[in-house]
Amino acid sequence: GAVVSQHPSWVICKSGTSVKIECRSLDFQATTMFWYRQFPKQSLMLMATSNEGSKATYEQGVEKDKFLINHASLTLSTLTVTSAHPEDSSFYICSAPDRGRAGGVFGPGTRLTVL
Amino acid sequence: AQSVTQPDIHITVSEGASLELRCNYSYGATPYLFWYVQSPGQGLQLLLKYFSGDTLVQGIKGFEAEFKRSQSSFNLRKPSVHWSDAAEYFCAVTMNRDDKIIFGKGTRLHILP
């Protein structure tokens, strides 16, 4: 079946640095991908919709200059957390529509820890 | 605004007992409805989904869910839980097949031996 991968699976960085997270659709193309953030013991909150060939759409309250999204190809979307701070520490999950079958395909997530 | 409500933050049941997790949604029309499970530190796994047809939906791992339009509910059930079912369960909705998915706050399921 359709698979979405994320890299890295976990990352630790110092405060003030930038971190890039990749989301790839394997064996299928995704013109749209979604980025979610999940704080410990909380639900998944949609951050933004990544669109191949156009700008990402951000949810209300999400800083677009801090969370840079680039949908470089039909199989790759990247999320860059710029000038990361400890409050950005979270579990970041991406998903891609599953060929018209509702439910999407979710990546395994990336655990970001900012020291 | 679209919303999904899971009224129970934690549920504890004994192994072998039956389970029901509640979910209510608020939408103008019937959305696609989902239940996902997430084990600690892991990604999401889709248990089942509903859009139309038979209101009782069978999923993986012995789970089922019943859609009740009159109550705007989509409750998840399992007749006999196993210790391995301990996890976080999310009810979720979307209005279109390929659209963003909105999640409820989740219900943490604890299993007593």
Side-chain angles (χ1 to χ4, degrees):
Chain A
V3 175
V4 169
S5 69
Q6 286 186 238
H7 178 80
S9 55
W10 59 270
V11 56
I12 301 173
C13 70
K14 293 182 179 180
S15 184
T17 61
S18 294
V19 175
K20 179 183 286 187
I21 302 171
E22 294 184 347
C23 176
R24 292 182 184 274
S25 58
L26 306 181
D27 300 326
F28 73 102
Q29 295 180 337
T31 56
T32 301
M33 290 183 176
F34 303 101
W35 285 96
Y36 297 84
R37 179 168 54 184
Q38 184 181 30
F39 291 111
K41 299 186 179 182
Q42 294 189 27
S43 186
L44 284 77
M45 298 299 296
L46 180 68
M47 298 175 65
T49 301
S50 173
N51 304 298
E52 192 271 336
S54 64
K55 292 182 179 180
T57 304
Y58 291 82
E59 296 298 303
Q60 189 173 8
V62 177
E63 300 175 61
K64 58 184 67 176
D65 293 333
K66 181 170 185 61
F67 298 99
L68 301 180
I69 290 174
N70 181 30
H71 202 129
S73 72
L74 289 172
T75 59
L76 173 65
S77 175
T78 59
L79 168 68
T80 301
V81 183
T82 63
S83 187
H85 289 92
E87 57 266 30
D88 298 322
S89 298
S90 188
F91 196 47
Y92 292 87
I93 303 173
C94 69
S95 75
D98 182 14
R99 301 168 183 167
R101 296 191 296 269
V105 184
F106 284 82
T110 296
R111 175 78 58 193
L112 170 63
T113 300
V114 184
L115 303 176
Chain B
Q2 305 171 352
S3 68
V4 183
T5 302
Q6 292 180 248
D8 303 306
I9 298 174
H10 295 274
I11 290 281
T12 301
V13 297
S14 298
E15 188 169 17
S18 64
L19 169 71
E20 182 170 30
L21 302 182
R22 296 183 292 167
C23 174
N24 293 95
Y25 64 91
S26 176
Y27 280 81
T30 301
Y32 289 87
L33 295 156
F34 312 93
W35 276 99
Y36 293 87
V37 61
Q38 185 182 37
S39 296
Q42 302 296 311
L44 295 174
Q45 182 176 25
L46 180 66
L47 289 175
L48 45 78
K49 60 187 174 185
Y50 171 82
F51 177 63
S52 63
D54 192 345
T55 56
L56 186 62
V57 182
Q58 300 299 318
I60 62 172
K61 302 185 176 185
F63 286 93
E64 66 178 27
E66 185 172 14
F67 169 67
K68 292 186 178 180
R69 185 188 305 273
S70 61
Q71 299 177 19
S72 296
S73 68
F74 188 57
N75 295 348
L76 181 71
R77 301 195 294 247
K78 187 171 185 177
S80 177
V81 298
H82 185 263
W83 64 266
S84 60
D85 292 325
E88 188 85 22
Y89 291 80
F90 294 100
C91 182
V93 303
T94 185
M95 285 309 300
N96 300 296
R97 286 174 190 248
D98 296 339
D99 206 351
K100 59 188 178 185
I101 294 175
I102 306 301
F103 289 83
K105 292 188 180 298
T107 297
R108 168 74 60 178
L109 175 62
H110 305 273
I111 306 295
L112 295 176

